[in-house]
C-alpha cells in the first residue's frame, strides 16, 4: 500500500494553499464550491466539514483549498495537511472518477460572427469559468481542448468564454467545408467529459482577478469607463464571439485604450464598432473626458 506524504505549497493568492502529494491522486481536474457539488468526492466532502474551507480543487497530485476570511492559513495549514495525510493513508477514495466520466448530454451549434474568419461554437452548458485566448499551440498548453484544435490544419486561433469556443481559421479553408467537422469535434470532446482547461489555468485566472482587484489603483474616470464596458459593451461583443478589456485611460489626451479578443480581434468591422459604437457611447455618457477610443491590437 502506498504511503502518502504532503508538502504545503503557498500560492500567489493568500486565500489559497496547495497541498502536494508524493503520489498521483486523480486522473482529471475537479473543482467543488460546496458539499452538494462534491457528491462524487468523499475527500472533498470531508474537507467541507472544516468551517473555513470555501472551495476545493483536486487535480493530478495535489489538493488546493480556498479559505473564508475567518482564519489565516498559517494557523490551520499543518492541521489540514495532517488530516489529509491520515485520510489518504487510510486508503479512502479521493474522487469516484467512474461516476464523473460518463458520457454527458451536450449539444453544440455553430453561430456566425461579424468576423468572416471566426465561427462561434456554442454549448448548452458552461465549459470555462472565464475568458481564455490562445494565438497558437505554444500558448495553449493549459487547455487540452485548444491543443487538440490546433492540430487541425485550418485552425489559426482559439478563444473561449463561458459556454462557447470561437475558432479563427486560415484563409485556405472554407467554413462550408470545416464547420460540421469542428462542431462535431467540440461536441464529442465535451460529451466525453474531458478537461477544457487545466485546474492550474483556472486557479491562475482566479489569482489574476484577485491581484487585479487588489493591486490596480484606477482613478474615478477609469472606474466609470470599466463599469460602462462591463454593463453595456461586453455582453454585446460576447454575443459576437469576442471580448473587450480595458487597458488604460490618458486624462491629458482623453484616450481610452482597449484590447480586443476572440472574434473582435482582427475583425474588419471592429474599427466601425469602436468609433461608432463604443467611442460614441462613452462620449455621450462621459462628455468631454473622452476624445478617442483605440484598440491596441485592432
Amino acid at each position: 500500500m502506498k504511503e502518502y506524504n504532503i508538502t504545503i505549497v503557498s500560492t500567489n493568492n493568500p486565500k489559497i494553499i496547495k497541498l502536494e502529494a508524493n503520489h498521483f491522486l486523480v486522473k482529471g481536474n475537479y473543482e467543488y464550491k460546496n458539499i452538494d457539488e462534491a457528491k462524487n468526492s468523499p475527500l472533498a466532502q470531508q474537507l467541507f466539514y472544516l468551517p473555513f474551507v470555501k472551495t476545493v480543487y483536486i487535480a493530478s497530485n495535489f489538493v488546493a483549498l480556498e479559505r473564508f476570511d475567518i482564519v489565516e492559513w498559517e494557523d490551520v495549514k499543518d492541521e489540514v495537511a495532517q488530516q489529509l495525510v491520515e485520510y489518504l493513508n487510510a486508503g479512502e477514495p479521493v474522487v469516484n472518477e467512474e461516476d464523473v466520466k460518463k458520457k454527458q448530454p451536450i449539444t453544440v451549434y455553430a453561430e456566425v460572427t461579424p468576423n468572416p474568419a471566426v465561427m462561434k461554437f456554442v454549448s448548452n452548458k458552461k465549459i470555462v469559468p472565464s475568458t481564455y485566448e490562445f494565438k497558437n499551440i505554444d500558448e495553449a498548453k493549459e487547455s487540452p481542448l485548444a491543443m487538440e484544435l490546433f492540430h487541425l490544419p485550418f485552425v489559426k486561433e482559439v478563444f473561449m468564454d463561458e459556454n462557447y469556443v470561437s475558432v479563427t481559421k486560415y484563409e485556405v479553408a472554407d467554413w462550408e467545408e470545416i464547420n460540421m467537422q469542428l462542431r462535431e469535434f467540440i461536441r464529442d470532446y465535451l460529451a466525453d467529459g474531458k478537461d477544457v482547461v487545466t485546474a492550474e489555468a483556472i486557479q491562475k485566472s482566479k489569482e489574476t482577478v484577485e491581484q487585479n482587484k487588489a493591486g490596480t489603483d484606477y482613478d474615478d474616470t477609469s472606474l466609470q469607463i470599466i463599469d460602462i464596458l462591463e454593463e453595456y459593451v461586453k455582453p454585446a461583443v460576447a454575443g459576437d464571439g469576442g471580448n473587450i478589456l480595458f487597458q488604460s485611460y490618458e486624462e491629458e489626451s482623453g484616450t481610452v485604450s482597449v484590447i480586443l479578443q476572440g472574434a473582435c480581434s482582427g475583425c474588419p468591422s471592429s474599427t466601425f464598432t469602436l468609433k461608432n459604437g463604443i467611442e460614441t457611447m462613452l462620449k455621450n455618457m462621459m462628455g468631454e473626458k473622452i476624445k478617442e477610443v483605440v484598440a491596441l491590437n485592432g
Side-chain angles (χ1 to χ4, degrees):
M1 186 175 175
K2 295 178 181 177
E3 182 176 354
Y4 287 89
N5 297 312
I6 294 295
T7 302
I8 301 172
V9 180
S10 58
T11 70
N12 292 330
N13 187 338
K15 292 185 178 182
I16 297 176
I17 61 164
K18 190 175 179 182
L19 305 169
E20 287 189 352
N22 57 329
H23 300 291
F24 282 101
L25 303 176
V26 290
K27 295 178 181 178
N29 302 315
Y30 307 95
E31 177 182 357
Y32 306 101
K33 294 289 188 182
N34 53 60
I35 197 168
D36 291 329
E37 290 185 2
K39 291 177 181 177
N40 68 309
S41 174
L43 171 58
Q45 288 183 329
Q46 288 292 318
L47 291 168
F48 276 119
Y49 284 122
L50 300 172
F52 50 84
V53 171
K54 182 179 180 181
T55 310
V56 178
Y57 311 92
I58 303 175
S60 186
N61 69 326
F62 72 87
V63 176
L65 301 176
E66 181 181 11
R67 63 171 173 80
F68 287 107
D69 292 331
I70 57 175
V71 297
E72 296 294 334
W73 278 125
E74 196 62 34
D75 299 327
V76 297
K77 63 181 182 180
D78 292 332
E79 178 184 342
V80 174
Q82 182 59 36
Q83 181 175 329
L84 181 56
V85 167
E86 291 174 1
Y87 183 94
L88 295 173
N89 285 326
E92 298 292 341
V94 177
V95 176
N96 296 320
E97 295 193 280
E98 64 273 12
D99 296 337
V100 180
K101 295 301 181 181
K102 293 177 182 177
K103 206 83 167 178
Q104 301 178 28
I106 296 289
T107 59
V108 173
Y109 67 88
E111 191 175 281
V112 297
T113 74
N115 189 338
V118 179
M119 187 72 73
K120 179 179 175 183
F121 297 90
V122 185
S123 167
N124 62 322
K125 293 186 178 180
K126 185 174 181 178
I127 60 173
V128 289
S130 57
T131 59
Y132 298 90
E133 184 174 42
F134 308 103
K135 295 288 189 180
N136 51 60
I137 196 168
D138 292 327
E139 293 183 3
K141 293 176 182 177
E142 293 182 329
S143 172
L145 172 56
M147 287 283 287
E148 293 203 25
L149 286 171
F150 276 117
H151 283 111
L152 300 172
F154 45 77
V155 172
K156 183 180 181 182
E157 297 177 16
V158 177
F159 176 80
M160 304 173 183
D161 188 12
E162 297 229 335
N163 69 326
Y164 70 85
V165 180
S166 288
V167 175
T168 304
K169 68 174 181 64
Y170 286 103
E171 291 184 6
V172 291
D174 188 87
W175 283 122
E176 290 184 2
E177 300 170 355
I178 63 175
N179 184 2
M180 183 67 72
Q181 179 184 353
L182 272 169
R183 187 181 69 81
E184 291 182 350
F185 177 87
I186 294 170
R187 182 199 63 198
D188 292 344
Y189 185 98
L190 297 176
D192 286 338
K194 296 178 182 178
D195 297 320
V196 177
V197 293
T198 63
E200 290 85 349
I202 294 172
Q203 184 173 326
K204 189 183 297 183
S205 176
K206 291 185 176 181
E207 290 175 0
T208 300
V209 171
E210 292 291 333
Q211 289 170 0
N212 288 342
K213 286 181 179 177
T216 306
D217 187 20
Y218 290 124
D219 58 32
D220 290 342
T221 302
S222 294
L223 290 173
Q224 191 176 352
I225 294 168
I226 293 171
D227 287 342
I228 293 171
L229 293 178
E230 290 287 335
E231 184 173 355
Y232 298 101
V233 180
K234 276 199 173 186
V237 297
D240 288 335
N243 189 38
I244 184 169
L245 299 174
F246 173 81
Q247 181 67 19
S248 64
Y249 167 70
E250 295 179 12
E251 184 177 1
E252 187 174 335
S253 63
T255 300
V256 178
S257 297
V258 297
I259 296 174
L260 300 176
Q261 294 180 313
C264 298
S265 178
C267 178
S269 62
S270 62
T271 301
F272 178 86
T273 302
L274 276 175
K275 296 301 176 184
N276 294 278
I278 301 169
E279 185 176 294
T280 300
M281 178 187 293
L282 288 173
K283 284 179 176 178
N284 289 338
M285 298 180 77
M286 300 185 64
E288 293 298 317
K289 293 180 179 179
I290 308 300
K291 302 296 184 185
E292 185 183 21
V293 177
V294 297
L296 300 182
N297 60 335

